[in-house]
Amino acid sequence: MKVDFTRWLPAIAKDSYRKTALSVAGVAALGGLALAPTAAAAPVTSGPHQGAVAAIDLATGKAASPAHQDEQPEQPVESGLTTGSATGKPPAGKPSRDQLIPHGIEGAQSRVPLDDAQLANARAIVDAAKKTGVGDRGAVIGVATSLQESKLYNLGHLGAYNDHDSQGLFQQRPSSGWGTPEQITDPEYAATAFFTALKNVGGWQDLPLTTAAQTVQVSAFPYAYAQWEEQAADIVQQLW
């Protein structure tokens, strides 16, 4: 069943910077796809679909698009937000580690350096978590989900490398009712839509991160979200 999120959400003001979505060039990686929210998880597959593999290869410089064969891939610029793990007591006014990761870490963890665009998108997700009332734990789920789906890049349509019509920070699909392409490539709208769906998941606060995220996203890789929980917690703690 398709869900029209546009009737749930208020009109969201967009400025020209935050509306900009990345094409293949400059993308860090591409994860799964976001269908309309459902409680049924997709089957686990052995690896990424071919469109995702191609996009990842292009973004990491392992392959070049036909139109850019002679161009060198841009190197990511690390921001002041490091990828190191937070330790000790949280700064004043910041959520604690126990608040951010109440159920403990599941499995091996992954980390990526963040550039300014990724950091700005993370801020948009954290701000939407505050506005929608899902709190700091919801923000961790949102940031971890976007790290898996798009590495916190606001992806536009990737052409031949696109996974169906998935776009934006959460790889949401217009054909599944998440909104128009313009809406789902607006970070504030996309994050608000994600958190609105998350709030409809019964007992999401008590679920492991990967279960809560998967119930919303219905990814072909339902356990992949767990690997980003630690970095997502570090990001939220610093931006909250």
Side-chain angles (χ1 to χ4, degrees):
M1 181 181 73
K2 294 183 179 180
V3 180
D4 182 7
F5 281 95
T6 59
R7 62 186 178 85
W8 293 357
L9 304 172
I12 297 173
K14 315 179 190 75
D15 58 50
S16 58
Y17 173 77
R18 295 183 65 185
K19 283 198 299 183
T20 302
L22 299 180
S23 62
V24 172
V27 175
L30 178 62
L33 65 153
L35 299 171
T38 175
V44 181
T45 59
S46 59
H49 59 82
Q50 291 305 305
V53 171
I56 291 169
D57 286 347
L58 281 173
T60 56
K62 295 180 181 178
S65 65
H68 300 85
Q69 291 286 347
D70 298 327
E71 295 183 10
Q72 294 296 318
E74 294 183 6
Q75 297 299 314
V77 178
E78 292 192 34
S79 71
L81 183 61
T82 70
T83 60
S85 176
T87 59
K89 293 183 179 180
K94 302 290 186 178
S96 70
R97 196 74 167 173
D98 288 342
Q99 288 174 283
L100 296 169
I101 310 177
H103 310 300
I105 296 295
E106 290 185 287
Q109 296 295 292
S110 298
R111 287 181 177 273
V112 292
L114 302 179
D115 62 24
D116 290 340
Q118 291 165 296
L119 181 55
N121 290 329
R123 288 185 186 279
I125 294 172
V126 171
D127 288 345
K130 293 179 178 180
K131 291 177 182 178
T132 56
V134 297
D136 46 41
R137 176 58 180 171
V140 172
I141 296 172
V143 172
T145 300
S146 184
L147 278 166
Q148 170 59 24
E149 297 290 356
S150 67
K151 297 299 180 288
L152 284 172
Y153 281 109
N154 188 24
L155 303 181
H157 200 286
L158 300 176
Y161 304 102
N162 226 57
D163 179 19
H164 298 79
D165 53 345
S166 304
Q167 296 184 53
L169 293 176
F170 296 90
Q171 287 295 279
Q172 294 158 332
R173 295 180 60 186
S175 63
S176 295
W178 285 99
T180 66
E182 181 182 30
Q183 287 173 323
I184 62 176
T185 52
D186 176 81
E188 185 177 356
Y189 177 97
T192 301
F194 175 84
F195 291 131
T196 300
L198 180 65
K199 289 166 69 174
N200 285 334
V201 176
W204 66 266
Q205 301 93 330
D206 300 319
L207 296 174
L209 181 147
T210 198
T211 304
Q214 169 64 7
T215 306
V216 175
Q217 297 294 98
V218 197
S219 169
F221 314 100
Y223 305 110
Y225 302 106
Q227 68 184 305
W228 302 105
E229 187 161 8
E230 191 169 62
Q231 185 173 17
D234 292 345
I235 293 170
V236 172
Q237 187 176 69
Q238 294 184 57
L239 296 181
W240 193 259

